[in-house]
Amino acid sequence: MKSICLIGFMGSGKTTLGKALADELSVNFFDTDEEIVKWRNMDIPGIFESEGEKNFREYESEVFKRLPVNDAVIATGGGIIESRNNREWLKQHLMTVYLKTSFKEIQRRLSFEQNRPLWNQEMNEKKRLYESRQRLYEECANQIIHTDEKTIEELLRSVQNSINFSKQG
Ligand code: S3P
């Protein structure tokens, strides 16, 4: 099986769903943010502050390409699709599922968020970032799943259905 890769904006539930899905499928789970933190031995806000977003993106792309393209579930950071090269990788090597969440719902979920540097900015900037990424997520996705008002069980079922469907096809 190709690895299943979850993409989507911050707060779309990639990590939570990814862990549950990996459990269900009995495969390993990876999270690009977690891999970066282990490798650089620093948390994400620390990397943004001391090294800047550009370096963070380089680390992100590097850990992403090292993750298995078969038999795993991968949760990515919301900005993985900023790089054209990563988008090509998503399209070529992975079964990519976009967890699409409305901006309103993301605002609700991240209302007390402190650890995401790009959420810690003016509302206009956050909205602009959200809007500008939509077409990039969609461009890479084999499957789009809407997450607003869905339980984790419902989301799990949707992803599993799409995996079964792609096996038949
Ligand atoms: C980012 C999303 C974060 C993390 C970093 C940058 C982004 O991951 O990679 O703060 O650019 O959207 P999550 O999507 O898991 O929050």
Side-chain angles (χ1 to χ4, degrees):
M1 161 195 118
K2 269 190 182 179
S3 292
I4 298 166
C5 187
L6 303 178
I7 61 171
F9 203 72
M10 295 171 255
S12 59
K14 294 161 292 189
T15 303
T16 312
L17 181 65
K19 284 183 180 160
L21 185 63
D23 251 20
E24 193 79 16
L25 299 172
S26 304
V27 297
N28 287 324
F29 171 73
F30 298 92
D31 183 308
T32 55
D33 283 344
E34 210 178 286
E35 296 297 317
I36 297 167
V37 170
K38 273 196 280 181
W39 173 31
R40 306 310 303 173
N41 199 21
M42 197 186 287
D43 65 16
I44 307 278
I47 298 174
F48 267 76
E49 200 177 298
S50 61
E51 304 190 37
E53 181 174 353
K54 189 167 175 290
N55 284 342
F56 173 80
R57 295 292 169 211
E58 281 168 19
Y59 302 147
E60 182 174 54
S61 296
E62 191 156 341
V63 298
F64 180 49
K65 305 287 170 44
R66 287 197 220 134
L67 296 177
V69 293
N70 288 305
D71 301 323
V73 174
I74 301 170
T76 54
I80 200 83
I81 42 65
E82 299 264 339
S83 138
R84 177 189 297 270
N85 203 274
N86 291 346
R87 296 200 297 277
E88 289 310 311
W89 191 267
L90 284 161
K91 288 187 235 172
Q92 280 182 21
H93 299 292
L94 301 162
M95 151 86 184
T96 301
V97 177
Y98 169 28
L99 300 182
K100 190 174 169 91
T101 309
S102 68
F103 189 71
K104 197 166 165 221
E105 175 63 13
I106 284 171
Q107 270 181 297
R108 193 186 67 75
R109 293 185 196 171
L110 299 185
S111 50
F112 297 106
E113 177 56 43
Q114 302 282 340
N115 277 324
R116 288 167 163 108
L118 294 180
W119 191 250
N120 190 14
Q121 53 178 342
E122 292 289 315
M123 186 55 71
N124 282 347
E125 283 304 305
K126 296 194 273 199
K127 190 91 210 274
R128 192 201 54 75
L129 188 66
Y130 175 88
E131 299 290 351
S132 70
R133 286 179 175 176
Q134 292 311 305
R135 69 176 178 81
L136 302 178
Y137 294 129
E138 285 172 14
E139 172 193 324
C140 304
N142 295 105
Q143 188 74 26
I144 299 176
I145 293 179
H146 293 261
T147 79
D148 287 17
E149 287 154 34
K150 298 263 175 61
T151 63
I152 185 90
E153 288 77 20
E154 288 170 323
L155 294 173
L156 257 183
R157 235 174 299 130
S158 303
V159 183
Q160 279 172 319
N161 286 342
S162 64
I163 302 168
N164 292 337
F165 185 74
S166 72
K167 273 187 201 151
Q168 285 161 17

